[in-house]
Amino acid sequence: MDESHKDSSQFCDLLRLKNPHSCTAFDLSAQLGDGRRSALIVVDVQRCWYSDSPGGLARAAFPLLPDRTAALLTTARLHDVRVVHVRANYERSPHVATMRRLNPSLNTVPILPEPEAWAKEIEGELVVMKSTFDGFFRTELEACLCRLGVTRVLVCGLITSACVLSTALGAFHRGFDVLLVDDCCADRTRARHEATVAMYHDYVFRAVTTAE
């Protein structure tokens, strides 16, 4: 193996994080009993970007996010829609230095995968760890969804214009039918959220609400 290939391999290993629950050990038969083909992907609903975020921008702009997300999770579980939690752990990720250089006022607290209590996984739900904005990049997410027979994903979470969008694009690029649950997403301003949804609605994903 030449040095460049070795360096590339080491870089990939750095980005690939261990998941709390292995996809290979997931009980497929229990999840496919009703033949459903949808999954809800909850992206980065972590304390560092909402409850503990410096300045509380997302919390101030989207105060109803906790109640709406909790209601969405309850509905998904009630109707046997598979729920997958995608969480960021960027402390070892190479892109963080660039992100902090470009945005020195952001991410001033440790980026830890501690979930909000109102969006925490329950027994049997998958948790996929990611080291970049895209929940599909060098993670087990695609393999898990394919193994479950999923063809449609609903995406919600934090932050709309960053990790939610990147994960929705990742799903779109892999051929999934993508629905963005508009009122269960949040950004640092409502304008950024609305601009992101408007730009990609009916192009990459279809924006829906919890009422729909």
Side-chain angles (χ1 to χ4, degrees):
M1 179 185 297
D2 61 40
E3 287 302 315
S4 62
H5 185 79
K6 181 179 179 181
D7 289 345
S8 176
S9 177
Q10 290 174 341
F11 178 78
C12 292
D13 288 340
L14 179 66
L15 294 177
R16 187 177 292 108
L17 298 179
K18 184 177 180 181
N19 295 321
H21 311 295
S22 172
C23 180
T24 58
F26 197 65
D27 186 356
L28 176 64
S29 60
Q31 293 294 317
L32 286 181
D34 63 354
R36 293 182 182 273
R37 293 292 182 268
S38 295
L40 171 63
I41 302 177
V42 183
V43 180
D44 289 7
V45 183
Q46 297 164 222
R47 293 188 60 87
C48 58
W49 282 301
Y50 194 80
S51 293
D52 297 339
S53 176
L57 298 179
R59 188 171 67 252
F62 296 86
L64 299 180
L65 182 69
D67 289 343
R68 288 176 173 170
T69 302
L72 177 63
L73 283 165
T74 297
T75 301
R77 291 159 179 162
L78 181 65
H79 292 279
D80 297 321
V81 174
R82 303 158 193 81
V83 179
V84 181
H85 303 263
V86 173
R87 297 202 183 114
N89 188 343
Y90 293 161
E91 290 309 297
R92 294 175 55 231
S93 184
H95 82 278
V96 170
T98 299
M99 187 169 63
R100 285 178 169 157
R101 175 173 55 82
L102 294 174
N103 304 280
S105 65
L106 299 178
N107 306 305
T108 56
V109 299
I111 303 171
L112 302 175
E114 180 184 0
E116 296 283 2
W118 36 269
K120 187 175 175 58
E121 74 277 8
I122 63 173
E123 184 177 358
E125 291 179 350
L126 284 168
V127 177
V128 173
M129 305 303 297
K130 66 181 179 65
S131 58
T132 68
F133 283 10
D134 181 1
F136 286 89
F137 184 71
R138 302 199 183 284
T139 72
E140 296 181 15
L141 182 56
E142 181 180 11
C144 291
L145 294 176
C146 290
R147 188 167 181 268
L148 290 170
V150 168
T151 58
R152 167 178 288 178
V153 295
L154 296 91
V155 183
C156 69
L158 299 164
I159 295 290
T160 311
S161 60
C163 295
V164 171
L165 175 60
S166 293
T167 299
L169 287 169
F172 169 76
H173 292 154
R174 289 163 176 80
F176 293 98
D177 180 23
V178 185
L179 305 180
L180 185 83
V181 188
D182 188 336
D183 55 347
C184 287
C185 297
D187 209 308
R188 293 182 176 90
T189 68
R190 186 161 290 277
R192 288 173 66 94
H193 167 84
E194 292 175 353
T196 301
V197 174
M199 182 175 294
Y200 290 97
H201 170 59
D202 283 343
Y203 184 61
V204 169
F205 53 71
R206 182 161 60 91
V208 298
T209 65
T210 49
E212 295 175 80

